[in-house]
Amino acid sequence: MKINYPGGVKPTKITENKETSPKKRHILSAANRGMVLENEINDSNLYYREKNMAIIYKRPTPINIVKVDYSRGAIITQAYFETQSTTDYNGVYKGRYLDFEAKSTKSKTSFPLSNIAPQQIDHLEKVIEHGGIAFFIISINPLNEVYLIDAKYICSFYREKPRKSIPVESIKEHGHLIKEGYHPRLDYLPLVDEFFL
């Protein structure tokens, strides 16, 4: 049976190579778990902006470029961070400033506190002190679950350090499971409504 493709485009044969073999894809996905969460949040934030629900953006990491190699198409070969980064996202929702950090863990039992930088805790405590909304979005990858958890709880746990990691059971108890869907991928604003506003 002959299939006529629009515009005279003919199908291309898909061949599997080392780059796209299942084993290679698995290695790449394991190495980029944090990027998957970030992409899902970015997509959700884009949806919120397009629907004029909220203005939330990924905060760029301030870097100072020292050296660029133009022989291979303007590739940065040397750079350094200008300042320590604070949190991943900030914006405005229903007239309130919000600020949050996105983290993921490959453990199904705990979230290591070493994943959080001290300046992130300092920053979120200041946001809370000034009346802003502050939280973490934590992905527990082996369980395929993503939680929104109040920064007050994480900051308190971080300061007291009863242990080197937060048990997943505590995240489930003090956090709120984010509904996953198609558009938005991670619909976290209803939880902000319910638990912060």
Side-chain angles (χ1 to χ4, degrees):
M1 179 175 162
K2 185 178 176 184
I3 299 175
N4 293 319
Y5 288 86
V9 176
K10 293 184 180 179
T12 57
K13 184 178 178 185
I14 298 172
T15 58
E16 192 161 294
N17 58 31
K18 289 180 187 175
E19 305 297 316
T20 59
S21 69
K23 187 176 180 183
K24 186 73 168 180
R25 279 193 303 267
H26 176 71
I27 292 167
L28 290 174
S29 66
N32 292 315
R33 277 183 205 142
M35 291 302 296
V36 170
L37 176 62
E38 185 178 298
N39 289 337
E40 290 177 343
I41 294 171
N42 291 344
D43 289 346
S44 299
N45 289 341
L46 178 61
Y47 174 85
Y48 293 147
R49 288 194 305 272
E50 287 175 346
K51 297 292 182 187
N52 201 27
M53 297 168 68
I55 303 298
I56 304 164
Y57 285 97
K58 172 108 172 77
R59 181 182 276 127
T61 304
I63 61 166
N64 191 349
I65 299 168
V66 176
K67 193 174 181 183
V68 179
D69 180 0
Y70 291 101
S71 67
R72 297 181 288 162
I75 296 171
I76 298 170
T77 57
Q78 190 176 4
Y80 63 89
F81 295 112
E82 287 181 356
T83 59
Q84 291 181 324
S85 64
T86 52
T87 51
D88 290 329
Y89 295 91
N90 68 335
V92 179
Y93 176 58
K94 292 188 176 178
R96 296 281 303 276
Y97 175 78
L98 60 82
D99 204 305
F100 66 94
E101 178 66 15
K103 298 287 187 189
S104 61
T105 180
K106 59 185 177 184
S107 170
K108 62 181 176 182
T109 58
S110 65
F111 172 76
L113 291 178
S114 60
N115 285 0
I116 305 171
Q119 71 269 13
Q120 293 173 325
I121 294 294
D122 294 340
H123 175 77
L124 289 169
E125 286 175 336
K126 292 285 185 204
V127 169
I128 294 165
E129 182 183 325
H130 287 275
I133 297 169
F135 55 90
F136 281 79
I137 289 181
I138 299 177
S139 173
I140 303 163
N141 294 328
L143 304 179
N144 290 317
E145 294 176 345
V146 182
Y147 288 85
L148 183 146
I149 186 163
D150 193 329
K152 287 179 188 173
Y153 174 76
I154 301 283
C155 291
S156 174
F157 197 100
Y158 187 92
R159 295 289 187 207
E160 294 169 14
K161 282 195 174 64
R163 47 183 285 171
K164 292 181 180 181
S165 61
I166 302 173
V168 165
E169 289 309 313
S170 293
I171 291 171
K172 289 182 175 190
E173 180 184 341
H174 296 278
H176 313 284
L177 186 65
I178 297 175
K179 181 182 169 189
E180 295 184 44
Y182 175 67
H183 229 48
R185 178 74 186 102
L186 294 173
D187 195 11
Y188 65 88
L189 285 184
L191 296 175
V192 172
D193 283 332
E194 187 174 351
F195 297 102
F196 292 97
L197 299 178

